[in-house]
Structure formats: C-alpha cells, structure tokens
C-alpha cells in the first residue's frame, strides 16, 4: 500500500505541477545607484561580489552559479563575481530560467531587476482585444451558397469583407418582343460582395452578440436557357444592385481559435438599375436577393 500511495502521489504531482507552473523572464535589469545593499560577500579571489536584487513576487527561488543568494519579502538577492554573464535561476514550481545578463557586472556594484511571469497555457492563444479572423459560411437565405469572409476585430469594434457565391436559381424567365417573338430567356443566379461593421457585446465567456451594419453589392447574372430561339441574347442578361444591411451576429467561442456564429440580417435595396426594376417582380427569388431577410451560419478561425 505504501508503494501504491507513493506512485499515486507522484502521478498527481506530475499532472498538477505543469498546470500551475509558469515561464518567467527578467526585465528592467539595470545598475542601481540609490538602492545600495551592504555586503561582505567575497568571490574566490577575495574581491567584493556584485549584488543583484530581483523583485520576484514569490518565494522558492535558487541560483546555481552564484557565490551566495537569499530571499527576503518576495525579493531574491544574488551575489556574483565581476564579469558574470549568465545565471541559472530555479524555482520549486516554475520553469527554470537560463538568463543572460545584458550589461557588464562590476565588482562591488549594485543592480536591480524584476521577474515577469507568463502562463504557458496562454502562449499561442489569440489576443481577445485584437485579432484577424476568417469565416467559412453557408448562406441559407435569401439564396443558398458558400460565403468566404475575412475580418479584423480591435477591442469591441470589427470590420469584415465577405464574398458569397449563390447556388440558387430563379425559374426560367422569358422576354418577348413584337409578334410574341422571344427576345431572350434566362434563369438567374446571384453573387454578393459585402462589407460589415460591428460592435461586440460580450454575453459570457463563450457567447458574444454583435450588432452589424453594412453594404452589399449584388451581381445577378443570367444563364441562357437552352433550346430557345432568341432574337436578342444580350437583352436582360444581368443586373447590378446594392443593399444596405442590418444584422445581429450571435457567436459561440468553442476553443481558443475556433468559433461558430449565426447571423440573421435584413437587406434594404438602395440602388437598382433600370433593367432590374423591370424584371424583379417576375420571380420572388430575384427580388429577395436585394430586399429581404437573410440568414447565414459560419465557422470562424481566429489568427
């Protein structure tokens, strides 16, 4: 039982210690003319050691290659010979630091520095205050199709540029001239380039709500219907429109770099060319691509 207890204790220590340990570094290393520490510590040649006072904010540190060292009130005092260039600083929990001293160490001089800690679990994580992100979306309404977006968020503000390739098609639409002759015949698909600006309201650690406004440029292209004899095949072959957009993105942060979002949005047509106004009522899909309700779902990757 004693051996089993020791083994379990070792495993628990192995699992738990890395979760609490941190990387640390030395910053603000400089010679001090005011913070003078009296010492009688000598090096092996009988010369006065230099004194380095580290502000650690913790205890349990030791230094391998120092003449002497001691701790007092979250401070580490290290005594080293003149010309010392490197220190190996250890801690009972934190990672070992192999530190290169940035300035020349003189005999009998006094130096100060402080420790700066970095949680290793945070290394490589996205800075939540600013990051670039990419979206792979699927547009459900008003037309089915993939959307690819790239955006930038700084604090609560965000801007994203998106391109949607519509897969939905209208019914076949025929245009007639004099004597019931067919001028042209098409079904239509849409593509969209959009810009959205948003302001994020955090709901919880995992959920954000982002009101968005934007503008979308819609390109509606016609595909000629086969087996139709037309007299003017370029007539009504495509239209361009522009929409103002108002939406609300609901985001779910799955892990550090990945998230999901759902964005309901409403479009208001602010520009429609003359040909579009003539044909928009011939198919409800065609009209909804410029004016109407939109819905998309996205997978987000944050860089």
């Amino acid at each position: 039982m004693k051996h089993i207890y020791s083994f379990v204790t070792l495993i628990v220590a192995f699992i738990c210690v890395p979760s609490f340990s941190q990387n640390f570094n030395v910053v603000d290393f400089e010679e001090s003319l005011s913070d003078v520490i009296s010492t009688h510590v000598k090096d092996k040649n009988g010369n006065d050691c230099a004194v380095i006072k580290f502000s650690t904010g913790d205890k349990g540190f030791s230094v391998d290659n120092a003449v002497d060292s001691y701790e007092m009130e979250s401070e580490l005092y290290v005594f080293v010979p003149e010309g010392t260039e490197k220190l190996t600083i250890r801690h009972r929990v934190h990672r070992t630091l192999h530190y290169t001293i940035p300035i020349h160490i003189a005999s009998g001089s006094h130096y100060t520095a402080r420790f700066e800690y970095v949680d290793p679990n945070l290394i490589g994580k996205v800075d939540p205050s600013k990051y670039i992100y990419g979206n792979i979306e699927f547009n459900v309404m008003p037309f089915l199709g993939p959307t690819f977006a790239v955006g930038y968020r700084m604090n609560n503000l965000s801007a994203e540029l998106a391109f949607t390739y519509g897969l939905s098609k209208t019914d076949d639409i025929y245009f007639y001239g004099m004597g019931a002759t067919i001028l042209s015949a098409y079904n239509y698909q849409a593509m969209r380039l959009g810009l959205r600006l948003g302001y994020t309201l955090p709901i919880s650690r995992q959920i954000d709500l982002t009101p968005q406004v934007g503008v979308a440029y819609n390109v509606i292209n016609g595909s000629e219907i086969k087996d139709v004899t037309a007299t003017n095949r370029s007539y009504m072959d495509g239209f361009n429109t522009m929409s103002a957009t108002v939406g609300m993105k609901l985001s779910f942060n799955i892990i550090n770099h990945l998230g999901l979002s759902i964005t309901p949005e409403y479009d208001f047509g602010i520009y429609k060319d003359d040909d579009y106004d003539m044909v928009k009522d011939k198919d409800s899909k065609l009209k909804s691509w410029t004016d109407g309700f939109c819905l998309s779902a996205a997978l987000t990757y944050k860089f």
Side-chain angles (χ1 to χ4, degrees):
M1 288 297 295
K2 182 178 178 181
H3 294 296
I4 294 174
Y5 177 78
S6 299
F7 178 75
V8 171
T9 302
L10 181 63
I11 294 298
V12 170
F14 179 79
I15 294 172
C16 293
V17 167
S19 66
F20 291 103
S21 63
Q22 300 184 91
N23 294 324
F24 64 96
N25 200 4
V26 176
V27 295
D28 300 333
F29 193 105
E30 59 187 7
E31 185 175 4
S32 175
L33 301 178
S34 58
D35 195 357
V36 178
I37 305 161
S38 63
T39 176
H40 300 291
V41 178
K42 306 290 185 178
D43 63 19
K44 63 181 181 179
N45 297 319
N47 298 318
D48 288 340
C49 284
V51 186
I52 308 170
K53 183 181 78 173
F54 294 100
S55 297
T56 63
D58 198 358
K59 288 187 176 182
F61 290 94
S62 62
V63 183
D64 285 0
N65 51 335
V67 175
D68 195 9
S69 66
Y70 66 87
E71 293 181 304
M72 182 181 296
E73 298 178 357
S74 297
E75 293 177 339
L76 173 66
Y77 295 84
V78 179
F79 301 88
V80 295
E82 179 173 6
T84 298
E85 296 180 349
K86 295 183 179 181
L87 295 174
T88 299
I89 304 172
R90 302 185 186 276
H91 189 267
R92 61 180 183 272
V93 174
H94 303 318
R95 269 55 167 181
T96 297
L97 173 65
H98 300 283
Y99 177 64
T100 299
I101 298 172
I103 60 178
H104 176 72
I105 297 296
S107 175
S109 296
H110 302 82
Y111 304 88
T112 59
R114 64 182 178 86
F115 287 176
E116 184 177 68
Y117 297 91
V118 179
D119 187 339
N121 295 320
L122 298 178
I123 297 174
K125 286 196 171 184
V126 173
D127 182 350
S129 65
K130 56 181 178 179
Y131 55 83
I132 296 172
Y133 62 91
N135 283 355
I136 298 177
E137 303 181 27
F138 189 75
N139 206 73
V140 180
M141 298 175 63
F143 46 80
L144 295 176
T147 296
F148 304 95
V150 61
Y152 180 70
R153 176 175 168 181
M154 176 176 286
N155 298 321
N156 294 81
L157 297 174
S158 63
E160 66 181 49
L161 186 66
F163 173 77
T164 302
Y165 185 85
L167 301 177
S168 301
K169 292 185 178 183
T170 66
D171 294 333
D172 295 345
I173 299 176
Y174 297 84
F175 301 95
Y176 296 92
M178 298 294 292
T181 58
I182 298 176
L183 294 176
S184 61
Y186 296 99
N187 53 48
Y188 295 94
Q189 287 178 272
M191 294 185 293
R192 166 176 288 190
L193 184 65
L195 175 66
R196 296 167 177 162
L197 304 177
Y199 186 87
T200 299
L201 304 171
I203 304 300
S204 69
R205 290 184 62 184
Q206 281 76 37
I207 302 175
D208 293 332
L209 191 63
T210 306
Q212 293 180 316
V213 295
V215 62
Y217 184 71
N218 308 301
V219 178
I220 303 171
N221 292 317
S223 297
E224 190 175 11
I225 299 172
K226 296 180 179 180
D227 303 323
V228 173
T229 301
T231 60
N232 187 353
R233 293 184 173 180
S234 63
Y235 181 68
M236 296 292 186
D237 59 350
F239 323 103
N240 298 319
T241 67
M242 187 172 290
S243 306
T245 65
V246 179
M248 187 72 70
K249 179 165 70 173
L250 182 63
S251 303
F252 304 89
N253 301 308
I254 303 173
I255 56 175
N256 182 48
H257 287 277
L258 287 177
L260 294 173
S261 66
I262 299 173
T263 306
E265 187 176 77
Y266 198 86
D267 296 350
F268 303 88
I270 55 176
Y271 167 77
K272 307 164 188 177
D273 63 28
D274 294 338
D275 288 347
Y276 174 82
D277 280 333
M278 293 173 60
V279 76
K280 66 181 181 181
D281 293 324
K282 291 183 177 292
D283 191 291
S284 60
K285 291 180 184 177
L286 191 65
K287 187 175 182 179
S288 69
W289 295 342
T290 301
D291 294 272
F293 183 72
C294 302
L295 182 65
S296 63
L299 175 66
T300 300
Y301 186 85
K302 304 170 187 176
F303 298 90

